[in-house]
Amino acid sequence: MKRGKLRVLLGAAPGVGKTYEMLEEGRRLSTNGRDVVIAVVETHGRAATAAQAEGLPVIPRRRIEHRGVELDEMDLDAVLDRRPSLALVDELAHTNAPGSRHPKRWQDVEELLEAGIDVITTVNVQHIESLNDVVEKITGVAQRETVPDAVVRSADQVEVVDLAPQSLRDRLSAGVVYPAERIDAALSNYFRLGNLTALRELALLWLADEVDSALKSYRAEHGI
């Protein structure tokens, strides 16, 4: 069976528009005849993101009870049974609830790819394993959820969803990213201008390194 293709939308921070762009691309491809489904999308209460999801088929989530609490997770088996041409899978670094087949969502994505299903997914730079310590030094926040660099590097396409730091702060102030009660704390801490600038640089440098490796391989293969 031909392996599915993986496209990763990489962002410097929450709120830059990764999920929105993933859904927008899903809608475009669906209009052009591709069989696209939403396997799992987290809108985080953002109205514009939720609006982008309208009209696309959604695979209902699976409910898992853990210590008396019901948790919703992507229903991997339902997606595999549905066998779409393309699955939209948000938050690649997500940790699945106990009792799931795989501990990490990126492992679910790997199974979808092995089944021949194309996947578009999203991840923030702070969740890339090799950058985890650097991000903690910049922001002072430890990230518990990570995805191995090799998983992202193996993607057929990696695209940075870029937004200037001040533009992201403006979106945050306008209530587009977080609810009102979280805005002031976010602007004063994680979303400080210096933090966002450093995270943006990290994302661009990581991708530049990947592009450089691809170029070296291409030159070697073609004797350039």
Side-chain angles (χ1 to χ4, degrees), residues 61-131:
R61 299 196 195 189
R62 184 168 63 97
R63 291 200 162 188
I64 299 174
E65 187 173 322
H66 178 63
R67 295 180 179 176
V69 178
E70 279 199 339
L71 304 171
D72 289 337
E73 293 291 356
M74 179 176 77
D75 193 333
L76 177 58
D77 286 325
V79 181
L80 290 168
D81 289 342
R82 171 67 169 70
R83 298 195 64 79
S85 171
L86 171 66
L88 307 181
V89 182
D90 214 0
E91 300 187 355
L92 184 64
H94 172 78
T95 299
N96 292 328
S100 301
R101 180 148 78 245
H102 303 297
K104 290 286 191 175
R105 184 168 289 165
W106 63 263
Q107 294 169 312
D108 293 337
V109 166
E110 179 64 23
E111 191 165 341
L112 294 177
L113 295 171
E114 288 293 334
I117 299 170
D118 292 347
V119 173
I120 301 179
T121 189
T122 66
V123 69
N124 282 322
V125 69
Q126 65 262 33
H127 297 295
I128 294 179
E129 202 169 70
S130 69
L131 302 177

Side-chain angles (χ1 to χ4, degrees), residues 18-63:
K18 301 177 305 301
T19 303
Y20 186 95
E21 183 163 324
M22 178 179 71
L23 290 167
E24 187 175 51
E25 180 67 358
R27 290 169 67 92
R28 184 187 71 80
L29 292 171
S30 179
T31 300
N32 290 338
R34 288 287 299 275
D35 180 18
V36 181
V37 302
I38 294 176
V40 61
V41 159
E42 306 291 353
T43 65
H44 298 291
R46 296 164 192 163
T49 304
Q52 280 295 98
E54 292 179 4
L56 287 172
V58 179
I59 303 295
R61 299 196 195 189
R62 184 168 63 97
R63 291 200 162 188

Side-chain angles (χ1 to χ4, degrees), residues 131-198:
L131 302 177
N132 193 249
D133 291 344
V134 180
V135 171
E136 184 176 355
K137 288 177 182 176
I138 293 169
T139 65
V141 179
Q143 298 292 336
R144 297 175 183 173
E145 295 185 317
T146 61
V147 58
D149 289 55
V151 172
V152 185
R153 291 189 188 280
S154 70
D156 298 274
Q157 295 182 56
V158 181
E159 174 186 342
V160 170
V161 180
D162 191 31
L163 188 64
Q166 188 55 55
S167 296
L168 179 53
R169 283 175 58 84
D170 291 343
R171 291 191 70 198
L172 190 65
S173 299
V176 175
V177 180
Y178 290 144
E181 64 271 14
R182 295 181 59 188
I183 292 174
D184 288 343
L187 285 170
S188 302
N189 295 286
Y190 195 91
F191 286 80
R192 291 197 302 269
L193 190 59
N195 285 358
L196 295 177
T197 302

